[in-house]
Amino acid sequence: MKNILIVEDERRLARFMELELTHEGYNVEIVADGQSALMNLMAKSYDCMLLDLMIPVVDGIEVTKRARTFTDIPIIMITARDGLEDKVKGFDIGADEYMTKPFEMEELLARLRALFRSREVKGEDKKVLSLRGLSLNMENYEVHREGELKELTKKEFDLLKYLLENQGIVLTREKILNNVWGFDFEGETNVVDVYIRFLRSKLDDGYEDKLIHTVRGAGYVLK
């Protein structure tokens, strides 16, 4: 079941979308402001965010900018702003789709299906993840750097895979824990730091070009 986050402060519209999406088999959560949206994105895993631009606390444009620093979740902007400049700005900062109010629910459902299909095809095509001399093969579980085979444990492999899938995006320790160790992991968050050190010793040490970077006060990024 796909999980969808609705960010909308118009209660009637949010409730309408929730009912329609739930009827179509989606699991739906609603928040009414941008700050709550960002907190939810950092704490939970969603398959898509339906985002109004004119929301309180943190507006939709800023939510998108901040979200794109730690997640590649599909974002469909839903707004009364229908100017070309607004649409271009939305796409430039990371939106996947842009819909103007009022809209037909059937169109929204169609766009959701199209987004999910494209993501699934993209995932099937990417058997090998790579970044500047580093490659990870998901079929034979092999990792190479500059052609040299690197021996990784299963958890190191999972962590590297998650970093490669989100290369260029700053990932918080909590986000990494949730996605690599799972929501039910019981332990200290410094396990992420420990495994990052393991990966650095195997993949970065001895190479002039460092790939794993620490963003002080935020988390880690592979770039």
Side-chain angles (χ1 to χ4, degrees):
M1 181 182 291
K2 301 289 188 184
N3 297 310
I4 296 179
L5 177 64
I6 296 176
V7 188
E8 173 62 70
D9 62 334
E10 292 182 36
R11 291 185 180 181
R12 292 179 64 182
L13 176 57
R15 179 58 177 161
F16 170 71
M17 287 194 290
E18 179 187 28
L19 290 172
E20 292 291 327
L21 290 167
T22 301
H23 179 72
E24 292 294 320
Y26 295 110
N27 185 44
V28 179
E29 286 188 45
I30 299 173
V31 294
D33 65 84
Q35 183 175 349
S36 298
L38 290 167
M39 291 176 65
N40 276 42
L41 286 177
M42 297 184 73
K44 303 177 183 179
S45 179
Y46 298 96
D47 297 290
C48 187
M49 175 166 62
L50 306 181
L51 176 66
D52 183 23
L53 294 189
M54 293 178 282
I55 48 177
V57 188
V58 180
D59 68 27
I61 292 293
E62 188 63 26
V63 168
T64 303
K65 289 179 181 177
R66 296 186 194 180
R68 282 294 175 250
T69 67
F70 63 86
T71 180
D72 65 345
I73 181 177
I75 297 175
I76 298 180
M77 288 183 172
I78 300 177
T79 175
R81 299 177 185 173
D82 59 359
L84 178 60
E85 184 178 326
D86 293 314
K87 294 180 181 179
V88 170
K89 184 176 183 180
F91 286 123
D92 282 348
I93 64 172
D96 295 89
E97 292 280 359
Y98 193 106
M99 296 183 65
T100 55
K101 298 177 181 178
F103 60 89
E104 295 293 334
M105 196 65 202
E106 283 303 316
E107 181 184 356
L108 174 58
L109 293 172
R111 293 198 187 200
L112 277 172
R113 291 192 294 269
L115 265 179
F116 293 144
R117 278 198 305 271
S118 76
R119 287 288 173 124
E120 287 167 4
V121 170
K122 182 179 177 183
E124 290 171 1
D125 290 344
K126 298 193 79 172
K127 301 297 184 185
V128 177
L129 302 173
S130 61
L131 174 68
R132 292 212 314 273
L134 174 68
S135 67
L136 178 148
N137 190 311
M138 289 184 280
E139 291 189 315
N140 59 20
Y141 289 91
E142 287 188 355
V143 173
H144 291 82
R145 173 109 202 238
E146 308 297 345
E148 181 182 350
L149 179 65
K150 302 294 183 179
E151 296 291 341
L152 300 187
T153 66
K154 175 64 166 61
K155 193 56 67 178
E156 289 168 353
F157 184 92
D158 291 344
L159 174 56
L160 178 60
K161 176 174 175 288
Y162 184 61
L163 292 172
L164 279 166
E165 287 173 337
N166 295 276
Q167 55 187 267
I169 298 172
V170 178
L171 301 168
T172 65
R173 291 171 177 82
E174 290 74 17
K175 194 80 174 176
I176 294 172
L177 269 180
N178 287 340
N179 286 274
V180 178
W181 276 265
F183 288 104
D184 58 351
F185 175 76
E186 295 181 1
E188 298 298 326
T189 56
N190 66 1
V191 70
V192 174
D193 305 312
V194 171
Y195 273 82
I196 288 289
R197 286 200 298 271
F198 290 161
L199 281 184
R200 278 179 167 151
S201 68
K202 295 181 178 182
L203 303 177
D204 270 350
D205 287 359
Y207 296 91
E208 183 177 349
D209 190 15
K210 308 300 183 186
L211 301 179
I212 304 172
H213 302 268
T214 301
V215 179
R216 198 172 296 275
Y220 298 102
V221 59
L222 193 72
K223 64 178 182 179

